[in-house]
């Protein structure tokens, strides 16, 4: 399993609620949209490195109070889907939106990079155990994950990297 701490974990948990895991079929239009976004998103090392740097800054307490407050508000919203949260960042979280953009990402990239990485990591583990991959996992992202495991672990985003906090 991926080991991502702090703010990213909160956002991922909330986003995962919308995706609902590999075994459950999406039931709502929002869940289907989240799954389609994950399937169509293309992981790259520059995107992952930008996210990792932002996450490290945030979890290290270097993000300002306004950014942290908006992040906590997003984390507390358990009803919105991942893509709904992207819209929230764009429209109701000006500090968080600006902070994300200062790190070279769009709000969509900020949400989809860790979410796609996490779902692909889970899928890769399931594949190793003989499980069936969910339809919303792209083969290209699965290959990317397998090829970049060592890099991801160095960033604390792979199966063996990072702290266990």
């Amino acid at each position: 399993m991926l080991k991502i701490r702090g703010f990213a974990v909160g956002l991922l948990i909330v986003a995962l609620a919308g995706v609902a895991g590999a075994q459950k079929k999406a039931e709502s239009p929002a869940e289907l949209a989240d799954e389609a976004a994950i399937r169509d998103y293309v992981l790259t090392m520059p995107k992952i490195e930008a996210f990792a740097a932002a996450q490290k800054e945030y979890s290290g307490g270097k993000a300002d109070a306004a950014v942290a407050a908006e992040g906590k508000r997003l984390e507390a919203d358990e009803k919105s889907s991942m893509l709904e949260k992207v819209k929230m960042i764009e429209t109701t979280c000006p500090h968080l939106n600006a902070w994300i953009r200062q790190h070279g990402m769009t709000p969509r990239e900020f949400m989809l990079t860790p979410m796609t990485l996490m779902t692909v990591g889970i899928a890769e583990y399931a594949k190793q155990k003989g499980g069936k991959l969910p339809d919303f996992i792209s083969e290209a992202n699965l290959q990317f994950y397998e090829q970049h495991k060592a890099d991801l672990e160095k960033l604390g985003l792979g199966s063996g990297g990072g702290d266990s906090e």
Side-chain angles (χ1 to χ4, degrees):
M1 238 262 197
L2 296 177
K3 297 178 181 178
I4 302 172
R5 294 165 276 148
F7 179 60
V9 170
L11 289 177
L12 287 175
I13 288 169
V14 173
L16 273 174
V19 175
Q23 301 303 319
K24 181 178 172 256
K25 281 260 186 210
E27 296 174 1
S28 74
E31 289 173 339
L32 291 171
D34 280 358
E35 287 184 1
I38 291 168
R39 180 190 60 243
D40 297 340
Y41 191 69
V42 177
L43 290 171
T44 67
M45 282 311 295
K47 290 176 187 175
I48 291 168
E49 289 165 346
F51 175 81
Q55 188 273 329
K56 184 177 179 181
E57 179 181 307
Y58 188 93
S59 65
K62 295 179 183 172
D64 71 32
V67 171
E70 290 175 355
K72 286 181 195 232
R73 185 166 43 100
L74 277 179
E75 288 177 45
D77 178 356
E78 297 178 6
K79 294 183 181 179
S80 297
S81 73
M82 177 183 58
L83 293 178
E84 290 167 340
K85 287 184 182 292
V86 169
K87 292 288 183 204
M88 289 170 62
I89 293 168
E90 293 171 339
T91 59
T92 66
C93 301
H95 300 96
L96 183 58
N97 190 1
W99 182 80
I100 289 168
R101 290 180 188 282
Q102 287 172 352
H103 285 84
M105 295 176 283
T106 65
R108 185 177 179 89
E109 290 170 330
F110 181 74
M111 292 297 290
L112 279 166
T113 297
M115 190 66 215
T116 303
L117 186 60
M118 178 179 246
T119 57
V120 170
I122 292 168
E124 193 263 349
Y125 179 79
K127 179 183 169 186
Q128 288 179 1
K129 300 296 181 188
K132 182 179 182 266
L133 295 179
D135 294 337
F136 61 93
I137 300 299
S138 78
E139 188 63 36
N141 280 337
L142 185 60
Q143 289 174 0
F144 173 88
Y145 183 87
E146 290 169 345
Q147 292 170 354
H148 292 89
K149 272 187 176 181
D151 297 323
L152 297 170
E153 289 176 7
K154 286 177 189 173
L155 292 170
L157 301 174
S159 59
D163 298 335
S164 58
E165 293 180 56

